[in-house]
Amino acid sequence: MKEILLCKYGEIILKGANRRYFEDMLERQLKRKARAHGNFNVYRAQSTLYVEPLDEAADMDGMLADACRVFGIISIARAAVCEKSMESICATVKQYIPSALAGKRSFKVEAKRSDKRFPLTSIQLSQEIGGRLAEAHPGVEVDVHHPDYTVYVEVRDLSAYVHGPAEPGAGGLPTGVGGRAMVLLSGGIDSPVAAYMMAKRGVEVEAVHFFSYPYTSQLAKDKVIELARLVTKYSGRMTVNVVSFTEIQEAIRDNCPEEFFTLIMRRFMMEIAQRIAKGDGCGALITGENLGQVASQTMEAMTVTGAVVDIPIFMPLVGMDKKDIISIAREIGTLDTSILPYEDCCTVFTPKHPKTKPTLGQVENAEKKLDREALIARALENVEKIK
């Protein structure tokens, strides 16, 4: 029996004159995913993307799993394809559905007829198929209000399709429709989630990571690369720009008041990230900052650290509870890697009593002994790009 994936759009349906652009981007993403799983034909019709295997070697299980991580899709059904006739639809239901009804106490049939040339209405089609299924499975009752299992039949322009409940899709918008942005990727829980959340809004994500060898280990760097790899299951391709940060942190330690260490460090990070971002065609920065979570994430501190850049700073986690961030990290598969005990450069030279309500003038005065431009120039000389 021939199967196909029916991938339903999310909010793309609401787009006006730009809808075709969004659909093109979504179709492109699915086609790229499909290449890893064999020979598939990906096409669209009636606000749905069809993913059709062209031979038996095509990996439907792998394709379904990957399609569930494509932003822009709200649901995915693995369906049996048949001709648009009552006999063919009923035969397909009887052949395709029985194993799913095993152990169930009740079911219902929900039919949709988008091809109005089909002789039965949606209600008539549901009643006819439901009656035949009930006769074939007398131990399973029909319950149209609270069924244990729902059989779906869709009569569309091209064919008829029979399937069970759809898998939830990733939602959001297709990667790339929201522009490009650079995420400051640490080894913690927050920044990979921030990258994921902005990718879900259609942003193509690049990353910058600050590495302070020998204060941080190669294992810490490897951890961040693995986090980036996990995020790319959703966001698509990503380049991680690894910046050597040791000289800057040592200069801050040797020349600045301790209470300002973290603030000055973050100002360097933001400015370096912005320069890399602009060079790579990114129009914004992304951070995992969460208001009040640590001393450098007060309103005053974020004002000071953001003052060195002139592009937008997206903070998708800024108002979230930590438990909600952890829940998303667990869902997208980054949590276990994030909690590995390899610390990043943000923990190097941490002040005992950090300044929580700084002013811009105080911080600029605290860093006046530093040659900011020279330090930044040297850090940018040997950026390692890992794709």
Side-chain angles (χ1 to χ4, degrees):
M1 181 176 297
K2 184 177 181 180
E3 288 186 303
I4 198 169
L5 299 182
L6 303 177
C7 304
K8 307 291 181 69
Y9 302 167
E11 61 183 278
I12 293 176
I13 293 174
L14 304 176
K15 302 301 176 185
N18 291 328
R19 175 171 167 172
R20 183 170 181 178
Y21 167 69
F22 284 77
E23 290 176 328
D24 288 343
M25 294 293 281
L26 181 55
E27 184 175 336
R28 190 179 307 163
Q29 295 295 323
L30 264 183
K31 286 179 175 178
R32 188 167 62 81
K33 292 283 189 183
R35 287 198 291 268
H37 300 289
N39 195 14
F40 286 89
N41 183 26
V42 179
Y43 55 95
R44 67 179 187 252
Q46 296 177 288
S47 300
T48 300
L49 274 161
Y50 297 75
V51 183
E52 178 185 9
L54 298 180
D55 54 46
E56 293 184 359
D59 179 9
M60 283 287 282
D61 292 334
M63 186 63 224
L64 174 59
D66 252 1
C68 287
R69 293 190 285 259
V70 174
F71 292 126
I73 295 172
I74 197 169
S75 68
I76 304 170
R78 184 168 180 167
V81 186
C82 61
E83 294 179 358
K84 292 186 291 183
S85 69
M86 200 64 218
E87 295 75 17
S88 180
I89 292 171
C90 288
T92 302
V93 169
K94 287 183 179 180
Q95 184 180 352
Y96 195 64
I97 294 300
S99 61
L101 292 179
K104 302 292 191 299
R105 292 177 297 178
S106 62
F107 78 95
K108 77 169 182 178
V109 176
E110 194 169 297
K112 292 183 180 180
R113 182 197 63 157
S114 58
D115 182 357
K116 303 306 181 185
R117 295 170 298 177
F118 192 77
L120 275 66
T121 66
S122 297
I123 293 175
Q124 290 170 336
L125 186 55
S126 297
Q127 291 172 338
E128 180 68 24
I129 296 171
R132 296 196 191 189
L133 265 181
E135 290 178 1
H137 301 274
V140 187
E141 296 180 352
V142 176
D143 183 347
V144 298
H145 299 294
H146 304 288
D148 289 343
Y149 189 82
T150 302
V151 179
Y152 295 89
V153 176
E154 301 184 43
V155 180
R156 291 169 162 262
D157 286 353
L158 300 175
S159 298
Y161 306 90
V162 176
H163 60 86
E167 296 281 340
L173 295 172
T175 301
V177 300
R180 289 165 59 88
M182 182 73 67
V183 62
L184 280 73
L185 189 64
S186 71
I189 295 171
D190 297 341
S191 57
V193 174
Y196 163 84
M197 291 181 68
M198 293 311 304
K200 188 171 183 176
R201 298 310 303 163
V203 175
E204 186 178 348
V205 179
E206 299 294 315
V208 59
H209 174 65
F210 296 93
F211 183 53
S212 292
Y213 183 82
Y215 302 106
T216 56
S217 68
Q218 180 63 39
L219 289 172
K221 177 181 172 182
D222 293 343
K223 171 184 171 180
V224 170
I225 301 307
E226 174 62 12
L227 287 171
R229 189 189 67 80
L230 292 169
V231 172
T232 60
K233 291 183 178 182
Y234 296 89
S235 68
R237 294 165 291 189
M238 183 191 299
T239 298
V240 181
N241 298 272
V242 181
V243 178
S244 177
F245 205 54
T246 308
E247 182 187 5
I248 291 174
Q249 288 194 285
E250 289 178 339
I252 294 170
R253 176 198 62 191
D254 295 340
N255 295 282
C256 303
E258 183 184 352
E259 63 181 335
F260 294 107
F261 279 2
T262 303
L263 292 168
I264 296 171
M265 175 194 73
R266 289 193 60 80
R267 281 164 59 84
F268 272 98
M269 287 179 171
M270 298 293 277
E271 188 164 354
I272 291 169
Q274 175 177 252
R275 295 196 192 189
I276 297 173
K278 288 183 175 181
D280 288 355
C282 297
L285 300 180
I286 303 168
T287 73
E289 289 170 290
N290 181 259
L291 187 61
Q293 182 172 242
V294 294
S296 64
Q297 293 177 12
T298 64
M299 196 175 297
E300 294 84 354
M302 288 191 284
T303 298
V304 167
T305 56
V308 295
V309 303
D310 57 19
I311 59 176
I313 303 170
F314 296 146
M315 303 177 186
L317 315 184
V318 71
M320 295 180 64
D321 289 342
K322 190 68 175 185
K323 65 180 180 62
D324 297 325
I325 299 171
I326 290 172
S327 177
I328 297 172
R330 183 178 288 113
E331 178 185 338
I332 65 176
T334 58
L335 181 62
D336 289 345
T337 301
S338 290
I339 62 177
L340 291 173
Y342 311 126
E343 296 182 328
D344 59 43
C345 69
C346 293
T347 61
V348 177
F349 310 135
T350 303
K352 293 180 180 179
H353 303 289
K355 191 77 170 177
T356 59
K357 294 187 177 182
T359 67
L360 182 57
Q362 288 173 334
V363 177
E364 289 176 339
N365 185 63
E367 64 185 20
K368 65 183 179 181
K369 292 184 180 179
L370 300 173
D371 188 343
R372 286 184 60 87
E373 188 56 41
L375 288 168
I376 290 172
R378 286 196 291 273
L380 290 170
E381 283 177 357
N382 298 300
V383 176
E384 180 186 6
K385 291 184 175 289
I386 300 172
K387 295 185 182 296

